[in-house]
Amino acid sequence: MTFFRSPGSAGCSRSKCAHTSLLRTLPIAFAVVLTCLFASQSLAVTFTGTNTGAIVDGTGTAVCGTPRDVQFNVTGFPGPVGSTSVSFTMSPQHGYAGDLRVTLLAPDGTSHLLFARIGTNPADAVGDNANFDGTYVFNDVATGDLWAAAASSNGTGFDIPPGSYRAQAAGPFATDNPGPAFTSMNAVFVNVPTANVNGTWTLRFEDCAASDTGTVSAAALTLVPFASANASVIGRVLTSYGAGIRNVMVTASGGRLAQPKVTYTSTFGYYRFDGLLAGDSYVISVTAKRYLFDQPALLVNLDQSIEGVDFVSLQ
C-alpha cells in the first residue's frame, strides 16, 4: 500500500516518510497534494523508459513524422494489470502542444491514446500553441484537464504546468476548455492477457505538424497488479490539537467504483470504507463546512487494508 500527503502532515507520524517531487497542479476546487510516501511495501512496480530522444518533426498541417518509441522492458510482473500510470519529461521543451499525439501500447498491441491534437476545433485547425516543458503524469486517479491547462495560455511561450492529468479523447473538439471527455487507461489495459503483460511496452510520440519540435528526456511506466480481494481504508478526521471531528463527510473515489462512496465520521472522528479492491488506486477526500484542511484529499494505492489515513484541520 502507498498513499501520498504533503510534508509535515500529522498523519505521517505512524511511518517514515520519503519526500518526493510528485506535486501536481490541479483545479483549485480539488487541491490534491501528493508528496509524502506513507506505506508498507507496495505492489506497484515502476519501469524506466529507454530510447528517449528527439521527436521527429511532422510536415504540413496533418502529416506525422517518424514516431519516437520510448520503450519499457516489463519483466517479472504477475499480471493482469489493475492500474496503469505513465509519465514523461520534455526537455528541451516541445513547442505547440497541438502538434503531438501520444499513445501507450502494451506488448500485445493493446493501445490507449493519452492525448492528440490539443486545442483543435472548427475555428483552430492547428491546435494550441502552449509548450510541454517538465514532467507530466497520466493515470485514472488524476483530475488534471490537459486541454483546459493548455487553453489558459495567454500567447506563445506559455508552458503547460507539469503535473498529473487524465487521458483524453483526441481533437478536434467543439471547445478548448474543458475539451473532450476523459478516458480510462485501467479499463483498457486490464484486458491484456497475463501472458502478454511482460514484454516491451511502448510510449509513442508523434509530431503531426511542421516547425515545432522537442525532446523526451525521461519516461516511467508504473503498473499495479489486478487483485479481487476486498480491502478497507480506516482513518480519523482531527482538529489541529488532536480532537476527533464528528459528522465530517469523507469520500472515496477512483478504482473500479461505479460511483464514489460516501461516509461520515463518528463521534470521535473515525471513518471507515469497506469493500474496496486491493490493487486499485483511490482518492480519499474530506468536506466540512466549519473546518479547512491543508490536505483535503489523499491518493491511496491500495494493496491491503490500511489504517491511519488521517486528515488534520488547520484550526
Side-chain angles (χ1 to χ4, degrees):
M1 173 278 299
T2 57
F3 79 83
F4 301 90
R5 69 165 73 234
S6 73
S9 297
C12 288
S13 60
R14 295 175 183 237
S15 178
K16 293 182 180 178
C17 296
H19 300 305
T20 73
S21 58
L22 295 178
L23 269 176
R24 68 189 185 185
T25 302
L26 297 177
I28 293 175
F30 194 73
V32 177
V33 182
L34 307 175
T35 48
C36 180
L37 179 65
F38 172 103
S40 59
Q41 187 175 5
S42 173
L43 293 176
V45 184
T46 298
F47 304 90
T48 300
T50 60
N51 196 42
T52 55
I55 301 170
V56 176
D57 197 14
T59 58
T61 58
V63 180
C64 301
T66 303
R68 165 61 62 181
D69 283 349
V70 176
Q71 298 177 330
F72 309 93
N73 182 27
V74 175
T75 60
F77 191 80
V81 177
S83 177
T84 305
S85 180
V86 66
S87 69
F88 62 82
T89 300
M90 289 286 189
S91 180
Q93 71 177 23
H94 195 295
Y96 234 105
D99 288 8
L100 284 177
R101 178 167 64 203
V102 180
T103 309
L104 180 64
L105 300 94
D108 69 341
T110 300
S111 66
H112 190 74
L113 180 77
L114 300 188
F115 60 86
R117 305 191 69 191
I118 296 171
T120 56
N121 58 55
D124 183 3
V126 296
D128 201 283
N129 62 4
N131 310 315
F132 283 103
D133 192 358
T135 299
Y136 302 85
V137 183
F138 291 83
N139 54 52
D140 283 4
V141 297
T143 60
D145 184 317
L146 191 62
W147 276 59
S152 63
S153 170
N154 294 318
T156 59
F158 174 85
D159 294 336
I160 298 173
S164 294
Y165 293 91
R166 285 290 299 271
Q168 286 178 269
F173 191 74
T175 59
D176 293 359
N177 187 355
F182 289 158
T183 59
S184 173
M185 299 169 64
N186 293 349
V188 171
F189 292 115
V190 72
N191 295 313
V192 176
T194 300
N196 295 330
V197 171
N198 289 289
T200 301
W201 289 64
T202 301
L203 185 60
R204 176 166 294 166
F205 295 82
E206 296 171 279
D207 185 301
C208 299
S211 300
D212 294 277
T213 59
T215 297
V216 184
S217 58
L221 173 69
T222 298
L223 304 177
V224 178
F226 179 93
S228 59
N230 287 334
S232 302
V233 173
I234 304 167
R236 292 185 75 189
V237 180
L238 306 161
T239 65
S240 59
Y241 50 88
I245 307 174
R246 66 182 180 90
N247 206 34
V248 173
M249 184 172 74
V250 187
T251 303
S253 58
R256 279 163 278 169
L257 293 174
Q259 59 186 14
K261 286 191 170 191
V262 176
T263 190
Y264 290 84
T265 55
S266 68
T267 300
F268 298 103
Y270 288 95
Y271 75 89
R272 180 185 185 114
F273 289 106
D274 294 315
L276 302 179
L277 293 178
D280 281 5
S281 297
Y282 297 91
V283 173
I284 312 297
S285 58
V286 293
T287 305
K289 292 182 179 180
R290 295 176 52 196
Y291 296 91
L292 296 176
F293 298 86
D294 184 39
Q295 313 304 332
L298 299 171
L299 172 64
V300 178
N301 294 326
L302 191 64
D303 59 29
Q304 60 186 337
S305 294
I306 57 172
E307 298 183 34
V309 185
D310 298 343
F311 297 86
V312 181
S313 75
L314 296 173
Q315 60 270 60

